Amino acid sequence: MIQLPKLHHTDSSNFFLMAGPCAIEGRDMALQIAERIVEITNRLRIPYIFKGSYRKANRTKANSFTGIGDELALSILKEVGDTFNIPTVTDIHESHEAAMAAQAVDVLQIPAFLCRQTELIEAAARTGKAVNIKKGQFLSGESMSFAAEKVRAINPDASVILTDRGNSFGYGDLVVDYRNIPAMQSFGVPVVMDCTHSLQQPNQASGVTGGKPALIATIAKAAIAVGADGLFIETHPDPSCAKSDGANMLPLDQLEALLERLVRVREAVI
């Protein structure tokens, strides 16, 4: 289990959860989502980290939504963490963003397609924050040892998390290879399964990434059965209206029932 300030229920035998909207769309929505997930995870004793991107730099089309403004979005992330006394995570895309984002969140996330960017990883490590590195869609689990080593070379005491989000399968689909979970756990780090981005269908002719959200529960249950330490789930009150990645997100009103099932799976396999 990863140890973070404000991470609750770490004495439980549950997986930990990174969950929230794809992007910070506004203060009220972020607080609404966080409040509901805190209620659920407290009842189920699931350690919880609120997730939200303060800026979306990796858009398919130039006119896609990228954010509400860096300072505003980061201030909302900080408010969520302070209000509910929970850790927060956001992704960074360039080295100069690390110090700025670190003032607002507890975990800095390296996007999958940037997991080989040495300067970016090193900048995150220098902040002293925990670093979550998503495995590239083009990499094996074994090859992620080098990404973890880059963090530890800068900060030997840093908390490192590795997250799987599927592998490219042709031009417009992904497939999950569950061998990657134990492979990455062998590096002595907690491993997370991204249950929403692993169901993306990228490179669509429309310029908008598709997805198969009906299979989120399938991906999550299999990951827990294999022994994943944590789960990453993007959720939204109304994914059809989300400004980013709506095709992949779990409706917020479905999260509680899913987590209840996953806790039972966890109990069965530990």
Side-chain angles (χ1 to χ4, degrees), residues 22-74:
C22 176
I24 298 298
E25 300 178 9
R27 175 182 179 272
D28 292 346
M29 180 177 291
L31 290 168
Q32 173 194 350
I33 293 172
E35 181 177 25
R36 181 64 183 126
I37 302 178
V38 166
E39 290 173 354
I40 297 168
T41 53
N42 278 342
R43 183 176 68 80
L44 297 175
R45 291 184 51 77
I46 297 172
Y48 172 51
I49 303 167
F50 178 85
K51 182 270 166 186
S53 296
Y54 77 92
R55 188 199 315 147
K56 300 300 296 183
N58 53 330
R59 301 294 82 194
T60 301
K61 297 192 295 184
N63 62 351
S64 296
F65 173 81
T66 58
I68 59 175
D70 294 354
E71 291 185 5
L72 176 57
L74 286 170

Side-chain angles (χ1 to χ4, degrees), residues 60 137 165 167-174 197-205 207-211 248:
T60 301
Q137 302 93 319
R165 48 99 75 234
N167 283 79
S168 296
F169 189 71
Y171 290 110
D173 209 353
L174 298 169
H197 289 99
S198 60
L199 291 166
Q200 280 185 335
Q201 294 179 306
N203 304 316
Q204 301 298 304
V208 178
T209 297
N248 309 298

Side-chain angles (χ1 to χ4, degrees), residues 188-234:
V189 301
V191 173
V192 172
M193 184 72 235
D194 183 338
C195 304
T196 44
H197 289 99
S198 60
L199 291 166
Q200 280 185 335
Q201 294 179 306
N203 304 316
Q204 301 298 304
S206 65
V208 178
T209 297
K212 296 182 178 179
L215 293 175
I216 291 172
T218 301
I219 295 293
K221 287 185 287 187
I224 294 300
V226 170
D229 302 287
L231 297 177
F232 181 107
I233 299 175
E234 288 190 340

